[in-house]
Amino acid sequence: AGFDEVYLGIWFGEAEIEGYNLDRSQMLDLKNPLTSDLTHFRTTALPDLLSAIGLNRKSNEAVRLFEIAKIYMRDANGEIDERHHLSGAISVAGKDPSGDQFFTARDAVVGALASVGVERISITRPDNLPTQFHKHTFHPGRWAAISHNEKVIAVVGELHPKYLKQADLTEPPVTFHVDLQGILGHRPALKSFSPPPRFPSMEYHLNVLAPSELYSADLLDIVAKIELHHLVRYTVRAVYQGQGVPDGKKRVTLELEFNNPTRSLAQQETVDEVERLKAPLVEAGLVIEF
């Protein structure tokens, strides 16, 4: 996914705990800390991730980092719980009004989960999260939790602007935190090879005006339920909110790919399938833009 692996520390101190308002209830104290600023085992990689982003952004306009390592905490019985975590962050120079970094990070996490066999997931914004995920650390409109079997296993979110000074950053990065411990028993399904298509595909972009609160996953679910003969791929290409789009709405661009494995498609066949797609989208309360 274009991320560079980093190796971070396993301890943090009062500056990180206070600076990011981290929950102390499950933390493990070091009896003999090496230095006065490293006093607790980390319950999250967030502070060190943000430090690594800051260091790398000094010489790079775009940075993508990840780490697979442990976090440490006490469980409900007070026993020490060492959990494998996948953590990462994206930071790119300039403003990000459409949330591209968030979607890039989310797709990277979904892809990583799928690669180890975790594909039946839901993406929501639940009221309660495991404490190590720190919902309050994220921008209230740019975060999401990923659940599997009704259990939250990951969170992706843009850093809340109030923490930028603490992180010594001017632009909010997007971070993700995946609890690998709960999915280590999964195995990826066997995959079969499909040769490249012999005949060229045809792509079509369809703009849909949708409510701001509609998840892209829900929009794609609508498309998935429509029986189209030649649709081989569909995804959200872009999301736009701003000038020209009514308040409470967003413009979602669907990217559709059509292909027939035995012959070239006629343009009218593609047009006919797109027309069949429009009616169910309108029935779902969406507006097709031309």
Side-chain angles (χ1 to χ4, degrees), residues 85-212:
H85 257 228
L86 164 66
S87 307
I90 296 177
S91 179
V92 179
K95 295 182 179 180
D96 184 20
S98 60
D100 285 345
Q101 293 181 65
F102 168 80
F103 293 114
T104 299
R106 181 206 62 185
D107 290 349
V109 171
V110 171
L113 291 173
S115 72
V116 294
V118 182
E119 295 182 330
R120 296 182 179 272
I121 62 171
S122 60
I123 302 176
T124 58
R125 291 179 184 164
D127 293 331
N128 298 315
L129 290 175
T131 54
Q132 70 266 30
F133 289 134
H134 313 295
K135 181 178 76 172
H136 56 268
T137 307
F138 303 117
H139 187 295
R142 291 188 179 178
W143 74 275
I146 298 175
S147 300
H148 177 66
N149 292 335
E150 300 183 354
K151 181 180 179 181
V152 174
I153 57 173
V155 66
V156 183
E158 181 180 292
L159 184 68
H160 197 290
K162 68 181 179 181
Y163 294 114
L164 286 180
K165 184 176 181 180
Q166 169 68 25
D168 195 24
L169 296 170
T170 56
E171 296 138 343
V174 174
T175 68
F176 54 84
H177 312 267
V178 184
D179 184 12
L180 295 180
Q181 200 71 28
I183 61 174
L184 290 179
H186 285 268
R187 294 292 183 270
L190 293 175
K191 297 181 179 180
S192 58
F193 170 76
S194 297
R198 292 177 57 200
F199 299 91
S201 296
M202 298 184 69
E203 286 191 359
Y204 192 97
H205 292 170
L206 183 66
N207 288 330
V208 176
L209 200 61
S212 299

